[in-house]
Amino acid sequence: MAKGTDYFTMELTPQLLASFVGGKVEGDGNVMITGFAKIEEAKPGSVTFIANPKYAHFIYDTQASAVLVSDDFQLEKPVNTTLIRVKDPYVALADLMNQMQKSVPRPQGIENPCFISEGVEIPEDAYIGAFAYIGKGVKIGKGVQIYPQTYIGDGVVIGDESVIRAGVKIYQDCEIGHRCIIHSGAVIGADGFGFAPLPDGSYEKIPQIGKVVIEDDVEIGANTTIDRATFGCTRIGYGTKLDNLVQVAHNVEIGRGNVFAAQTGIAGSTKIGDYNQVGGQCGFAGHIKIGSMNQFGAQSGIPNSVGDHKRLIGYPAVDAMQFAKTQVYLKRLGEFFNKK
């Protein structure tokens, strides 16, 4: 095992790393690699990457032993590091880090104290951390990791290889797919915000009797909340990624492969298609329909339905080119009034 690293469980070289990601080595392919680092902070033994051209100048001074670069990356002068040329350095780095992470031993077994309801079967390769609560009728898949101080309500289903980090709360009857990751503080299945106004100005609570269904390969950030449906289900589609502090309201349906940055809020019964990219602090009104393959700039407000393949920003969100032109006009308003 390489010393001084949390990443690698065996000694690696640029040549071996290149074989993992289909890369080509230029330079010393046998130097020892012991960890990852940012290019401007790297030390001997580190592997780093260049995906953004603005960081390219660091390659001439970096102490990293190896650097992942694109196939068409052009050097302006010689370097003292080994290059690993790949199609996409960022994707290659992610592949390497995932492979290394999988090599780290994972916890197994049941820690005490914790509470597991009678009749719940825990697979031999699963992990249940101290002070976890597992309710009645819970089904836990193979290789599941449930970290300390989690609450798993009655009737919850958790698919194979999913990871439930410390302090997560999953209310009754919710379903978690295979290979999901739910980070600390997330709450899955709390009541949706449903209240009926009464003549006297008060509100009567509408029971929320649905559930949340999270499909396979979804990742949910810390302190994100996904409300259970009034009836039916709130659904998060295959491969979707939610950042920290995202709010998903009752009966929302999100499709496949979406990414939502932090502090985004999605109001009730909104339906979102596939492969959308949503910047931080975006807000989606309720009962609207969003298509697929859209991009929403940070802090956008989306009050109405949107089709496919749009690039929107602002409040209310408009086409990105129109938004840019409007900003230019706004900056010149002072000139206009001065001429008057």
Side-chain angles (χ1 to χ4, degrees):
M1 179 176 176
K3 296 180 180 179
T5 176
D6 294 327
Y7 300 109
F8 299 117
T9 56
M10 60 179 177
E11 293 182 338
L12 297 175
T13 64
Q15 195 66 55
L16 189 55
L17 293 178
S19 70
F20 291 158
V21 293
K24 181 180 178 181
V25 174
E26 291 183 12
D28 185 355
N30 296 312
V31 64
M32 299 312 303
I33 303 297
T34 58
F36 300 99
K38 296 191 292 184
I39 190 167
E40 65 270 32
E41 299 176 358
K43 302 296 181 184
S46 300
V47 59
T48 186
F49 75 110
I50 295 175
N52 190 326
K54 74 178 185 179
Y55 293 102
H57 66 280
F58 284 113
I59 198 168
Y60 303 105
D61 299 313
T62 186
Q63 297 183 49
S65 295
V67 183
L68 293 157
V69 298
S70 64
D71 290 329
D72 58 0
F73 181 80
Q74 298 293 321
L75 289 173
E76 297 177 358
K77 56 184 178 180
V79 294
N80 297 317
T81 186
T82 297
L83 303 184
I84 304 175
R85 292 191 178 273
V86 293
K87 182 177 180 181
D88 186 325
Y90 197 59
V91 171
L93 180 76
D95 287 344
L96 286 175
M97 294 183 73
N98 276 312
Q99 291 183 54
M100 296 308 104
Q101 189 175 53
K102 289 177 182 177
S103 72
V104 176
R106 51 193 288 169
Q108 292 185 7
I110 302 173
E111 296 178 349
N112 286 311
C114 64
F115 177 83
I116 301 174
S117 294
E118 185 176 353
V120 174
E121 297 183 4
I122 307 297
E124 289 185 3
D125 60 351
Y127 165 68
I128 310 295
F131 299 101
Y133 177 98
I134 312 295
K136 298 176 182 178
V138 170
K139 296 181 180 179
I140 296 175
K142 296 178 181 179
V144 166
Q145 300 175 54
I146 298 176
Y147 281 78
Q149 297 181 330
T150 55
Y151 170 84
I152 311 297
D154 296 349
V156 168
V157 176
I158 303 176
D160 298 348
E161 306 296 330
S162 286
V163 178
I164 314 299
R165 290 290 180 181
V168 170
K169 315 301 178 188
I170 305 177
Y171 285 37
Q172 73 276 7
D173 299 323
C174 293
E175 299 178 15
I176 312 299
H178 302 303
R179 301 174 302 279
C180 292
I181 301 173
I182 304 179
H183 289 280
S184 294
V187 178
I188 313 299
D191 283 359
F193 193 67
F195 298 90
L198 299 177
D200 64 359
S202 63
Y203 293 88
E204 182 176 1
K205 181 177 176 62
I206 299 173
Q208 307 291 293
I209 60 175
K211 62 182 179 181
V212 173
V213 175
I214 296 174
E215 297 182 2
D216 299 344
D217 294 306
V218 169
E219 183 158 354
I220 297 170
N223 294 320
T224 283
T225 54
I226 303 175
D227 292 345
R228 69 192 312 107
T230 305
F231 36 78
C233 69
T234 302
R235 182 178 296 273
I236 311 296
Y238 172 86
T240 284
K241 316 298 182 185
L242 305 182
D243 197 358
N244 304 332
L245 296 166
V246 171
Q247 158 64 15
V248 180
H250 58 187
N251 290 97
V252 166
E253 297 179 18
I254 297 175
R256 299 167 61 92
N258 295 280
V259 287
F260 293 82
Q263 299 182 7
T264 290
I266 307 167
S269 297
T270 283
K271 293 178 172 57
I272 296 176
D274 303 328
Y275 304 107
N276 294 287
Q277 298 177 356
V278 181
Q281 296 185 333
C282 284
F284 292 83
H287 300 271
I288 61 175
K289 185 174 181 180
I290 306 298
S292 299
M293 303 294 291
N294 296 299
Q295 296 178 324
F296 298 93
Q299 296 187 326
S300 293
I302 301 92
N304 301 307
S305 295
V306 175
D308 301 327
H309 299 281
K310 308 292 185 184
R311 295 181 66 242
L312 306 178
I313 189 170
Y315 181 81
V318 297
D319 178 79
M321 289 297 294
Q322 178 184 340
F323 179 84
K325 290 179 181 178
T326 301
Q327 296 307 302
V328 172
Y329 298 150
L330 288 174
K331 289 179 180 179
R332 298 184 63 183
L333 279 177
E335 298 176 19
F336 174 79
F337 286 109
N338 288 336
K339 289 180 181 179
K340 292 290 185 179

